[in-house]
Amino acid sequence: MGLPEQVVTTPAAEELMGRLSNKHGELMFHQSGGCCDGSSPMCYPRGEFLVGDGDVLLATLGETPFYMSGSQFEYWKHTQLILDVVPGRGGMFSLENGEGVRFLIRSRVFTDVEIGALRAAGRI
């Protein structure tokens, strides 16, 4: 068994990422878990959000890095994050704001075998 992906995308998320990158160039995501974020990751032009030493790079979605704050990662490390899109308004500083949709994180708990593989690889 290969190493399970910690973040995956839905077709809707991939489509929106494509539209946003056409408008704004290279993208990045950050999931902080702060009081205002909830389950919505923030999407920024790459380089316009300063990643801290405590942030964890969970995945590269195509060419797009997806980071999470280290404290939030401690809560979510046993789950696979599914980047999706739903109707609504994006976060004030997130690039999808004004598109009529927003990114949303769904999740599923990794199986015991997947958790073992992630631990063996030093990912959790």
Side-chain angles (χ1 to χ4, degrees), residues 35-105:
C35 65
C36 301
D37 294 343
S39 57
S40 296
M42 300 294 282
C43 181
Y44 300 102
R46 188 150 344 137
E48 289 198 17
F49 179 86
L50 186 59
V51 177
D53 291 341
D55 291 322
V56 177
L57 175 63
L58 289 181
T60 303
L61 309 170
E63 300 290 319
T64 303
F66 189 105
Y67 293 90
M68 179 178 276
S69 70
S71 60
Q72 186 73 355
F73 178 67
E74 284 304 309
Y75 291 109
W76 290 58
K77 67 184 177 184
H78 296 100
T79 62
Q80 181 178 61
L81 305 181
I82 303 156
L83 182 64
D84 200 1
V85 173
V86 295
R89 293 177 58 182
M92 182 181 300
F93 300 109
S94 195
L95 290 177
E96 80 275 16
N97 191 8
E99 296 286 326
V101 293
R102 66 183 179 93
F103 288 109
L104 177 80
I105 291 293

Short mmCIF file of all heavy atoms in Angstrom, two decimals, residues 35-105:
data_model
loop_
_atom_site.label_atom_id
_atom_site.label_comp_id
_atom_site.label_asym_id
_atom_site.label_seq_id
_atom_site.Cartn_x
_atom_site.Cartn_y
_atom_site.Cartn_z
N CYS A 35 -10.71 31.24 14.72
CA CYS A 35 -12.13 31.38 15.02
C CYS A 35 -12.96 31.76 13.80
O CYS A 35 -14.12 31.42 13.72
CB CYS A 35 -12.34 32.41 16.13
SG CYS A 35 -11.86 34.08 15.64
N CYS A 36 -12.38 32.43 12.85
CA CYS A 36 -13.14 32.89 11.70
C CYS A 36 -13.06 31.93 10.52
O CYS A 36 -13.82 32.06 9.57
CB CYS A 36 -12.61 34.26 11.24
SG CYS A 36 -12.73 35.50 12.53
N ASP A 37 -12.14 30.98 10.56
CA ASP A 37 -11.94 30.11 9.42
C ASP A 37 -12.91 28.94 9.38
O ASP A 37 -13.41 28.59 8.33
CB ASP A 37 -10.51 29.53 9.41
CG ASP A 37 -9.47 30.59 9.18
OD1 ASP A 37 -9.84 31.67 8.71
OD2 ASP A 37 -8.31 30.32 9.49
N GLY A 38 -13.17 28.32 10.52
CA GLY A 38 -14.02 27.14 10.53
C GLY A 38 -13.44 26.09 9.62
O GLY A 38 -12.28 25.72 9.71
N SER A 39 -14.24 25.62 8.68
CA SER A 39 -13.78 24.58 7.77
C SER A 39 -13.38 25.13 6.42
O SER A 39 -13.27 24.39 5.45
CB SER A 39 -14.89 23.53 7.61
OG SER A 39 -16.06 24.15 7.14
N SER A 40 -13.16 26.42 6.32
CA SER A 40 -12.80 27.04 5.05
C SER A 40 -11.32 27.38 5.00
O SER A 40 -10.86 28.23 5.75
CB SER A 40 -13.60 28.32 4.82
OG SER A 40 -14.97 28.03 4.72
N PRO A 41 -10.58 26.74 4.11
CA PRO A 41 -9.19 27.14 3.94
C PRO A 41 -9.13 28.47 3.19
O PRO A 41 -10.05 28.80 2.45
CB PRO A 41 -8.60 26.01 3.10
CG PRO A 41 -9.76 25.54 2.28
CD PRO A 41 -10.97 25.68 3.18
N MET A 42 -8.08 29.19 3.40
CA MET A 42 -7.89 30.45 2.70
C MET A 42 -7.00 30.20 1.49
O MET A 42 -5.99 29.51 1.59
CB MET A 42 -7.25 31.48 3.63
CG MET A 42 -8.08 31.78 4.86
SD MET A 42 -9.64 32.59 4.50
CE MET A 42 -9.05 34.25 4.24
N CYS A 43 -7.39 30.77 0.37
CA CYS A 43 -6.64 30.65 -0.88
C CYS A 43 -6.01 32.00 -1.19
O CYS A 43 -6.70 33.03 -1.22
CB CYS A 43 -7.58 30.22 -2.00
SG CYS A 43 -6.77 30.01 -3.60
N TYR A 44 -4.70 32.00 -1.39
CA TYR A 44 -3.96 33.24 -1.62
C TYR A 44 -3.11 33.12 -2.88
O TYR A 44 -2.73 32.01 -3.27
CB TYR A 44 -2.98 33.50 -0.47
CG TYR A 44 -3.60 33.64 0.89
CD1 TYR A 44 -3.55 32.59 1.80
CD2 TYR A 44 -4.21 34.82 1.28
CE1 TYR A 44 -4.10 32.71 3.06
CE2 TYR A 44 -4.76 34.96 2.54
CZ TYR A 44 -4.71 33.89 3.42
OH TYR A 44 -5.25 34.01 4.68
N PRO A 45 -2.73 34.26 -3.46
CA PRO A 45 -1.67 34.21 -4.47
C PRO A 45 -0.40 33.70 -3.78
O PRO A 45 -0.11 34.13 -2.65
CB PRO A 45 -1.50 35.65 -4.93
CG PRO A 45 -2.77 36.35 -4.53
CD PRO A 45 -3.24 35.64 -3.29
N ARG A 46 0.29 32.79 -4.42
CA ARG A 46 1.49 32.23 -3.78
C ARG A 46 2.47 33.35 -3.45
O ARG A 46 2.72 34.24 -4.26
CB ARG A 46 2.15 31.21 -4.70
CG ARG A 46 3.27 30.51 -3.96
CD ARG A 46 3.56 29.10 -4.35
NE ARG A 46 2.58 28.40 -5.11
CZ ARG A 46 2.87 27.63 -6.15
NH1 ARG A 46 4.12 27.50 -6.55
NH2 ARG A 46 1.93 27.00 -6.78
N GLY A 47 2.99 33.32 -2.24
CA GLY A 47 3.95 34.31 -1.79
C GLY A 47 3.34 35.49 -1.07
O GLY A 47 4.06 36.30 -0.50
N GLU A 48 2.00 35.61 -1.08
CA GLU A 48 1.37 36.75 -0.42
C GLU A 48 0.91 36.41 1.00
O GLU A 48 0.36 37.26 1.68
CB GLU A 48 0.21 37.28 -1.25
CG GLU A 48 0.71 37.99 -2.49
CD GLU A 48 -0.32 38.90 -3.11
OE1 GLU A 48 -1.32 39.25 -2.46
OE2 GLU A 48 -0.12 39.26 -4.28
N PHE A 49 1.12 35.18 1.43
CA PHE A 49 0.86 34.79 2.81
C PHE A 49 2.15 34.22 3.35
O PHE A 49 2.72 33.31 2.75
CB PHE A 49 -0.26 33.75 2.89
CG PHE A 49 -0.55 33.29 4.29
CD1 PHE A 49 -1.43 34.00 5.10
CD2 PHE A 49 0.06 32.16 4.82
CE1 PHE A 49 -1.70 33.59 6.40
CE2 PHE A 49 -0.20 31.75 6.11
CZ PHE A 49 -1.08 32.46 6.90
N LEU A 50 2.60 34.76 4.46
CA LEU A 50 3.86 34.30 5.04
C LEU A 50 3.61 33.05 5.87
O LEU A 50 2.89 33.08 6.87
CB LEU A 50 4.46 35.41 5.91
CG LEU A 50 5.84 35.14 6.48
CD1 LEU A 50 6.85 34.88 5.36
CD2 LEU A 50 6.28 36.31 7.32
N VAL A 51 4.17 31.94 5.44
CA VAL A 51 4.05 30.68 6.15
C VAL A 51 5.01 30.70 7.32
O VAL A 51 6.17 31.10 7.18
CB VAL A 51 4.36 29.49 5.21
CG1 VAL A 51 4.30 28.17 5.95
CG2 VAL A 51 3.40 29.49 4.03
N GLY A 52 4.53 30.29 8.50
CA GLY A 52 5.36 30.30 9.69
C GLY A 52 6.07 28.98 9.92
O GLY A 52 5.77 27.97 9.29
N ASP A 53 7.03 29.01 10.84
CA ASP A 53 7.78 27.80 11.20
C ASP A 53 6.88 26.70 11.74
O ASP A 53 7.20 25.52 11.62
CB ASP A 53 8.86 28.12 12.24
CG ASP A 53 9.98 28.96 11.68
OD1 ASP A 53 10.14 29.00 10.44
OD2 ASP A 53 10.70 29.58 12.48
N GLY A 54 5.76 27.08 12.34
CA GLY A 54 4.85 26.09 12.92
C GLY A 54 3.85 25.53 11.93
O GLY A 54 3.07 24.64 12.28
N ASP A 55 3.84 26.03 10.70
CA ASP A 55 2.90 25.53 9.69
C ASP A 55 3.42 24.24 9.08
O ASP A 55 4.63 24.05 8.94
CB ASP A 55 2.67 26.58 8.60
CG ASP A 55 1.89 27.78 9.11
OD1 ASP A 55 0.96 27.58 9.92
OD2 ASP A 55 2.21 28.91 8.70
N VAL A 56 2.49 23.36 8.71
CA VAL A 56 2.82 22.06 8.15
C VAL A 56 2.37 22.02 6.69
O VAL A 56 1.22 22.35 6.39
CB VAL A 56 2.10 20.94 8.94
CG1 VAL A 56 2.36 19.58 8.33
CG2 VAL A 56 2.48 20.98 10.41
N LEU A 57 3.27 21.64 5.79
CA LEU A 57 2.89 21.42 4.39
C LEU A 57 2.28 20.04 4.31
O LEU A 57 2.96 19.03 4.45
CB LEU A 57 4.11 21.53 3.47
CG LEU A 57 3.85 21.21 2.00
CD1 LEU A 57 2.86 22.20 1.38
CD2 LEU A 57 5.17 21.23 1.22
N LEU A 58 0.96 19.99 4.09
CA LEU A 58 0.26 18.71 4.04
C LEU A 58 0.26 18.09 2.66
O LEU A 58 0.23 16.87 2.53
CB LEU A 58 -1.19 18.87 4.48
CG LEU A 58 -1.44 19.13 5.94
CD1 LEU A 58 -2.94 19.24 6.20
CD2 LEU A 58 -0.85 18.04 6.79
N ALA A 59 0.24 18.94 1.64
CA ALA A 59 0.11 18.41 0.28
C ALA A 59 0.51 19.47 -0.73
O ALA A 59 0.53 20.67 -0.43
CB ALA A 59 -1.33 17.98 0.01
N THR A 60 0.80 18.99 -1.91
CA THR A 60 0.90 19.86 -3.07
C THR A 60 -0.14 19.36 -4.05
O THR A 60 -0.08 18.21 -4.50
CB THR A 60 2.31 19.82 -3.68
OG1 THR A 60 3.25 20.20 -2.66
CG2 THR A 60 2.43 20.79 -4.84
N LEU A 61 -1.15 20.18 -4.29
CA LEU A 61 -2.28 19.82 -5.14
C LEU A 61 -1.98 20.31 -6.55
O LEU A 61 -2.14 21.48 -6.85
CB LEU A 61 -3.56 20.47 -4.60
CG LEU A 61 -3.84 20.23 -3.11
CD1 LEU A 61 -4.98 21.10 -2.63
CD2 LEU A 61 -4.10 18.76 -2.85
N GLY A 62 -1.48 19.42 -7.38
CA GLY A 62 -0.92 19.84 -8.65
C GLY A 62 0.35 20.60 -8.34
O GLY A 62 1.32 20.04 -7.85
N GLU A 63 0.32 21.90 -8.56
CA GLU A 63 1.46 22.77 -8.22
C GLU A 63 1.17 23.63 -6.99
O GLU A 63 1.99 24.45 -6.60
CB GLU A 63 1.75 23.70 -9.41
CG GLU A 63 2.11 22.99 -10.69
CD GLU A 63 3.48 22.34 -10.61
OE1 GLU A 63 4.40 22.95 -10.05
OE2 GLU A 63 3.60 21.20 -11.10
N THR A 64 0.01 23.45 -6.37
CA THR A 64 -0.45 24.35 -5.32
C THR A 64 -0.21 23.77 -3.93
O THR A 64 -0.79 22.75 -3.57
CB THR A 64 -1.96 24.63 -5.50
OG1 THR A 64 -2.17 25.18 -6.81
CG2 THR A 64 -2.46 25.61 -4.46
N PRO A 65 0.62 24.42 -3.11
CA PRO A 65 0.87 23.92 -1.75
C PRO A 65 -0.34 24.17 -0.84
O PRO A 65 -1.03 25.19 -0.97
CB PRO A 65 2.09 24.72 -1.29
CG PRO A 65 2.12 25.94 -2.14
CD PRO A 65 1.45 25.60 -3.43
N PHE A 66 -0.56 23.23 0.07
CA PHE A 66 -1.64 23.32 1.06
C PHE A 66 -1.01 23.18 2.44
O PHE A 66 -0.47 22.13 2.78
CB PHE A 66 -2.67 22.20 0.84
CG PHE A 66 -3.91 22.35 1.67
CD1 PHE A 66 -5.09 22.78 1.10
CD2 PHE A 66 -3.89 22.06 3.03
CE1 PHE A 66 -6.23 22.92 1.87
CE2 PHE A 66 -5.04 22.20 3.81
CZ PHE A 66 -6.21 22.63 3.23
N TYR A 67 -1.08 24.27 3.22
CA TYR A 67 -0.49 24.32 4.55
C TYR A 67 -1.59 24.34 5.62
O TYR A 67 -2.70 24.81 5.37
CB TYR A 67 0.33 25.60 4.74
CG TYR A 67 1.56 25.69 3.90
CD1 TYR A 67 1.53 26.26 2.64
CD2 TYR A 67 2.78 25.20 4.37
CE1 TYR A 67 2.68 26.35 1.86
CE2 TYR A 67 3.94 25.29 3.60
CZ TYR A 67 3.87 25.87 2.34
OH TYR A 67 4.99 25.96 1.57
N MET A 68 -1.22 23.88 6.79
CA MET A 68 -2.10 23.95 7.95
C MET A 68 -1.26 24.37 9.15
O MET A 68 -0.10 23.95 9.26
CB MET A 68 -2.76 22.60 8.21
CG MET A 68 -3.67 22.57 9.43
SD MET A 68 -4.46 20.97 9.67
CE MET A 68 -5.84 21.13 8.55
N SER A 69 -1.86 25.16 10.04
CA SER A 69 -1.12 25.53 11.25
C SER A 69 -0.82 24.26 12.04
O SER A 69 -1.61 23.32 12.05
CB SER A 69 -1.92 26.52 12.09
OG SER A 69 -3.05 25.90 12.67
N GLY A 70 0.32 24.23 12.69
CA GLY A 70 0.73 23.05 13.44
C GLY A 70 -0.24 22.67 14.53
O GLY A 70 -0.51 21.48 14.74
N SER A 71 -0.80 23.65 15.22
CA SER A 71 -1.75 23.34 16.29
C SER A 71 -3.02 22.71 15.73
O SER A 71 -3.57 21.77 16.30
CB SER A 71 -2.08 24.59 17.10
OG SER A 71 -2.65 25.58 16.27
N GLN A 72 -3.48 23.20 14.59
CA GLN A 72 -4.66 22.61 13.94
C GLN A 72 -4.35 21.21 13.43
O GLN A 72 -5.17 20.30 13.52
CB GLN A 72 -5.14 23.51 12.80
CG GLN A 72 -6.42 23.07 12.17
CD GLN A 72 -7.64 23.31 13.04
OE1 GLN A 72 -7.56 23.73 14.18
NE2 GLN A 72 -8.79 23.01 12.50
N PHE A 73 -3.14 21.02 12.91
CA PHE A 73 -2.74 19.71 12.40
C PHE A 73 -2.82 18.64 13.49
O PHE A 73 -3.19 17.50 13.22
CB PHE A 73 -1.32 19.78 11.83
CG PHE A 73 -0.81 18.46 11.33
CD1 PHE A 73 -1.39 17.85 10.23
CD2 PHE A 73 0.26 17.85 11.95
CE1 PHE A 73 -0.92 16.62 9.77
CE2 PHE A 73 0.73 16.63 11.49
CZ PHE A 73 0.15 16.02 10.41
N GLU A 74 -2.51 19.00 14.72
CA GLU A 74 -2.59 18.03 15.82
C GLU A 74 -4.00 17.47 15.97
O GLU A 74 -4.17 16.32 16.32
CB GLU A 74 -2.12 18.65 17.14
CG GLU A 74 -0.62 18.77 17.23
CD GLU A 74 0.09 17.43 17.03
OE1 GLU A 74 -0.27 16.44 17.71
OE2 GLU A 74 1.01 17.37 16.19
N TYR A 75 -5.01 18.27 15.68
CA TYR A 75 -6.40 17.80 15.75
C TYR A 75 -6.79 16.99 14.52
O TYR A 75 -7.62 16.10 14.60
CB TYR A 75 -7.37 18.99 15.87
CG TYR A 75 -7.29 19.70 17.20
CD1 TYR A 75 -6.75 20.97 17.28
CD2 TYR A 75 -7.76 19.10 18.36
CE1 TYR A 75 -6.67 21.64 18.49
CE2 TYR A 75 -7.70 19.76 19.58
CZ TYR A 75 -7.15 21.03 19.64
OH TYR A 75 -7.07 21.69 20.83
N TRP A 76 -6.24 17.34 13.36
CA TRP A 76 -6.70 16.78 12.09
C TRP A 76 -5.77 15.72 11.52
O TRP A 76 -6.05 15.18 10.45
CB TRP A 76 -6.82 17.91 11.06
CG TRP A 76 -7.93 18.87 11.33
CD1 TRP A 76 -8.13 19.63 12.43
CD2 TRP A 76 -9.00 19.20 10.45
NE1 TRP A 76 -9.24 20.42 12.30
CE2 TRP A 76 -9.79 20.18 11.08
CE3 TRP A 76 -9.34 18.78 9.16
CZ2 TRP A 76 -10.92 20.72 10.49
CZ3 TRP A 76 -10.47 19.34 8.57
CH2 TRP A 76 -11.26 20.29 9.24
N LYS A 77 -4.66 15.40 12.17
CA LYS A 77 -3.66 14.53 11.54
C LYS A 77 -4.15 13.12 11.25
O LYS A 77 -3.55 12.44 10.42
CB LYS A 77 -2.38 14.50 12.37
CG LYS A 77 -2.50 13.84 13.72
CD LYS A 77 -1.19 13.96 14.48
CE LYS A 77 -1.27 13.37 15.87
NZ LYS A 77 -0.02 13.59 16.60
N HIS A 78 -5.20 12.69 11.87
CA HIS A 78 -5.73 11.35 11.62
C HIS A 78 -6.84 11.35 10.57
O HIS A 78 -7.54 10.35 10.41
CB HIS A 78 -6.24 10.73 12.93
CG HIS A 78 -5.14 10.52 13.91
ND1 HIS A 78 -4.92 11.40 14.95
CD2 HIS A 78 -4.16 9.60 13.99
CE1 HIS A 78 -3.86 10.99 15.64
NE2 HIS A 78 -3.38 9.91 15.08
N THR A 79 -6.98 12.47 9.87
CA THR A 79 -8.04 12.56 8.86
C THR A 79 -7.47 12.98 7.51
O THR A 79 -6.47 13.70 7.43
CB THR A 79 -9.12 13.58 9.26
OG1 THR A 79 -8.53 14.88 9.36
CG2 THR A 79 -9.80 13.22 10.55
N GLN A 80 -8.13 12.49 6.48
CA GLN A 80 -7.81 12.96 5.13
C GLN A 80 -8.71 14.16 4.87
O GLN A 80 -9.93 14.09 5.09
CB GLN A 80 -8.10 11.87 4.10
CG GLN A 80 -7.78 12.30 2.69
CD GLN A 80 -8.03 11.17 1.71
OE1 GLN A 80 -9.14 10.69 1.58
NE2 GLN A 80 -6.97 10.75 1.04
N LEU A 81 -8.13 15.25 4.42
CA LEU A 81 -8.89 16.45 4.10
C LEU A 81 -9.31 16.40 2.64
O LEU A 81 -8.51 16.05 1.77
CB LEU A 81 -8.05 17.70 4.36
CG LEU A 81 -7.48 17.82 5.77
CD1 LEU A 81 -6.69 19.12 5.88
CD2 LEU A 81 -8.56 17.74 6.82
N ILE A 82 -10.56 16.76 2.40
CA ILE A 82 -11.11 16.76 1.04
C ILE A 82 -11.48 18.20 0.72
O ILE A 82 -12.41 18.76 1.32
CB ILE A 82 -12.34 15.83 0.95
CG1 ILE A 82 -11.94 14.42 1.39
CG2 ILE A 82 -12.92 15.84 -0.46
CD1 ILE A 82 -13.08 13.57 1.90
N LEU A 83 -10.74 18.80 -0.20
CA LEU A 83 -10.99 20.18 -0.60
C LEU A 83 -12.14 20.19 -1.59
O LEU A 83 -12.05 19.59 -2.66
CB LEU A 83 -9.72 20.80 -1.21
CG LEU A 83 -9.81 22.25 -1.65
CD1 LEU A 83 -10.07 23.18 -0.46
CD2 LEU A 83 -8.56 22.67 -2.39
N ASP A 84 -13.22 20.86 -1.23
CA ASP A 84 -14.43 20.90 -2.05
C ASP A 84 -14.87 22.35 -2.21
O ASP A 84 -14.23 23.27 -1.66
CB ASP A 84 -15.53 20.07 -1.37
CG ASP A 84 -16.64 19.64 -2.33
OD1 ASP A 84 -16.57 19.95 -3.53
OD2 ASP A 84 -17.59 18.98 -1.85
N VAL A 85 -15.95 22.55 -2.95
CA VAL A 85 -16.50 23.88 -3.20
C VAL A 85 -18.00 23.81 -2.95
O VAL A 85 -18.66 22.85 -3.35
CB VAL A 85 -16.22 24.32 -4.66
CG1 VAL A 85 -16.94 25.62 -4.99
CG2 VAL A 85 -14.73 24.46 -4.90
N VAL A 86 -18.53 24.83 -2.29
CA VAL A 86 -19.97 24.94 -2.05
C VAL A 86 -20.41 26.37 -2.37
O VAL A 86 -19.58 27.29 -2.39
CB VAL A 86 -20.33 24.59 -0.58
CG1 VAL A 86 -20.03 23.13 -0.27
CG2 VAL A 86 -19.63 25.51 0.41
N PRO A 87 -21.70 26.57 -2.62
CA PRO A 87 -22.18 27.94 -2.84
C PRO A 87 -21.95 28.78 -1.58
O PRO A 87 -21.99 28.27 -0.46
CB PRO A 87 -23.69 27.75 -3.08
CG PRO A 87 -23.83 26.32 -3.51
CD PRO A 87 -22.75 25.57 -2.78
N GLY A 88 -21.70 30.05 -1.78
CA GLY A 88 -21.51 30.95 -0.65
C GLY A 88 -20.43 31.96 -0.93
O GLY A 88 -19.96 32.10 -2.06
N ARG A 89 -20.02 32.65 0.11
CA ARG A 89 -18.98 33.68 0.00
C ARG A 89 -17.72 33.18 0.66
O ARG A 89 -17.75 32.67 1.78
CB ARG A 89 -19.44 34.96 0.66
CG ARG A 89 -20.60 35.61 -0.07
CD ARG A 89 -21.10 36.82 0.62
NE ARG A 89 -20.03 37.80 0.76
CZ ARG A 89 -20.17 38.95 1.36
NH1 ARG A 89 -21.32 39.29 1.89
NH2 ARG A 89 -19.17 39.79 1.45
N GLY A 90 -16.61 33.35 -0.03
CA GLY A 90 -15.32 32.98 0.53
C GLY A 90 -14.90 33.94 1.62
O GLY A 90 -15.52 34.99 1.82
N GLY A 91 -13.84 33.58 2.33
CA GLY A 91 -13.30 34.45 3.37
C GLY A 91 -12.90 35.80 2.78
O GLY A 91 -12.58 35.92 1.60
N MET A 92 -12.91 36.81 3.61
CA MET A 92 -12.66 38.17 3.14
C MET A 92 -11.37 38.30 2.34
O MET A 92 -11.32 39.01 1.36
CB MET A 92 -12.62 39.13 4.33
CG MET A 92 -12.43 40.58 3.90
SD MET A 92 -12.34 41.73 5.28
CE MET A 92 -13.91 41.48 6.06
N PHE A 93 -10.33 37.58 2.75
CA PHE A 93 -9.05 37.70 2.06
C PHE A 93 -8.75 36.53 1.13
O PHE A 93 -7.70 36.48 0.51
CB PHE A 93 -7.92 37.84 3.10
CG PHE A 93 -8.11 39.04 3.97
CD1 PHE A 93 -8.46 38.88 5.30
CD2 PHE A 93 -7.96 40.32 3.47
CE1 PHE A 93 -8.65 39.99 6.12
CE2 PHE A 93 -8.15 41.43 4.27
CZ PHE A 93 -8.50 41.27 5.61
N SER A 94 -9.68 35.59 1.03
CA SER A 94 -9.47 34.42 0.18
C SER A 94 -9.87 34.77 -1.25
O SER A 94 -10.85 35.49 -1.49
CB SER A 94 -10.30 33.25 0.70
OG SER A 94 -9.89 32.04 0.12
N LEU A 95 -9.11 34.27 -2.21
CA LEU A 95 -9.29 34.65 -3.61
C LEU A 95 -10.65 34.31 -4.19
O LEU A 95 -11.08 34.94 -5.16
CB LEU A 95 -8.20 34.01 -4.48
CG LEU A 95 -6.79 34.56 -4.28
CD1 LEU A 95 -5.81 33.79 -5.14
CD2 LEU A 95 -6.73 36.04 -4.60
N GLU A 96 -11.35 33.31 -3.65
CA GLU A 96 -12.65 32.95 -4.22
C GLU A 96 -13.76 33.89 -3.78
O GLU A 96 -14.89 33.80 -4.27
CB GLU A 96 -13.00 31.49 -3.93
CG GLU A 96 -13.57 31.20 -2.57
CD GLU A 96 -12.52 30.97 -1.50
OE1 GLU A 96 -11.33 31.32 -1.69
OE2 GLU A 96 -12.89 30.46 -0.44
N ASN A 97 -13.47 34.82 -2.86
CA ASN A 97 -14.46 35.80 -2.44
C ASN A 97 -14.96 36.55 -3.68
O ASN A 97 -14.17 37.04 -4.47
CB ASN A 97 -13.85 36.78 -1.42
CG ASN A 97 -14.91 37.63 -0.77
OD1 ASN A 97 -16.09 37.43 -0.94
ND2 ASN A 97 -14.47 38.61 0.00
N GLY A 98 -16.26 36.62 -3.85
CA GLY A 98 -16.84 37.29 -5.01
C GLY A 98 -17.15 36.35 -6.16
O GLY A 98 -17.72 36.77 -7.16
N GLU A 99 -16.78 35.08 -6.04
CA GLU A 99 -17.05 34.11 -7.11
C GLU A 99 -18.41 33.42 -6.95
O GLU A 99 -18.81 32.65 -7.80
CB GLU A 99 -15.95 33.03 -7.12
CG GLU A 99 -14.56 33.54 -7.46
CD GLU A 99 -14.39 33.87 -8.94
OE1 GLU A 99 -14.99 33.19 -9.79
OE2 GLU A 99 -13.66 34.83 -9.24
N GLY A 100 -19.08 33.65 -5.82
CA GLY A 100 -20.37 33.01 -5.57
C GLY A 100 -20.24 31.61 -4.98
O GLY A 100 -21.25 30.94 -4.75
N VAL A 101 -19.01 31.18 -4.76
CA VAL A 101 -18.74 29.88 -4.15
C VAL A 101 -17.58 30.06 -3.17
O VAL A 101 -16.89 31.07 -3.19
CB VAL A 101 -18.36 28.81 -5.21
CG1 VAL A 101 -19.55 28.48 -6.09
CG2 VAL A 101 -17.17 29.25 -6.04
N ARG A 102 -17.38 29.03 -2.33
CA ARG A 102 -16.25 29.08 -1.40
C ARG A 102 -15.67 27.68 -1.26
O ARG A 102 -16.36 26.68 -1.45
CB ARG A 102 -16.67 29.62 -0.04
CG ARG A 102 -17.63 28.74 0.72
CD ARG A 102 -18.04 29.39 2.04
NE ARG A 102 -18.99 28.56 2.76
CZ ARG A 102 -18.65 27.67 3.68
NH1 ARG A 102 -17.38 27.48 4.00
NH2 ARG A 102 -19.57 26.96 4.30
N PHE A 103 -14.40 27.64 -0.94
CA PHE A 103 -13.76 26.37 -0.64
C PHE A 103 -14.25 25.88 0.72
O PHE A 103 -14.53 26.68 1.61
CB PHE A 103 -12.23 26.51 -0.62
CG PHE A 103 -11.63 26.71 -1.97
CD1 PHE A 103 -11.11 27.94 -2.35
CD2 PHE A 103 -11.57 25.65 -2.88
CE1 PHE A 103 -10.55 28.12 -3.60
CE2 PHE A 103 -11.01 25.82 -4.14
CZ PHE A 103 -10.49 27.06 -4.50
N LEU A 104 -14.34 24.57 0.86
CA LEU A 104 -14.78 23.95 2.10
C LEU A 104 -13.96 22.68 2.31
O LEU A 104 -13.66 21.97 1.34
CB LEU A 104 -16.26 23.58 2.01
CG LEU A 104 -16.84 22.85 3.22
CD1 LEU A 104 -17.16 23.86 4.32
CD2 LEU A 104 -18.08 22.08 2.83
N ILE A 105 -13.61 22.41 3.54
CA ILE A 105 -12.92 21.16 3.87
C ILE A 105 -13.92 20.16 4.41
O ILE A 105 -14.66 20.44 5.34
CB ILE A 105 -11.80 21.41 4.92
CG1 ILE A 105 -10.67 22.22 4.33
CG2 ILE A 105 -11.28 20.08 5.48
CD1 ILE A 105 -9.90 21.52 3.24
#
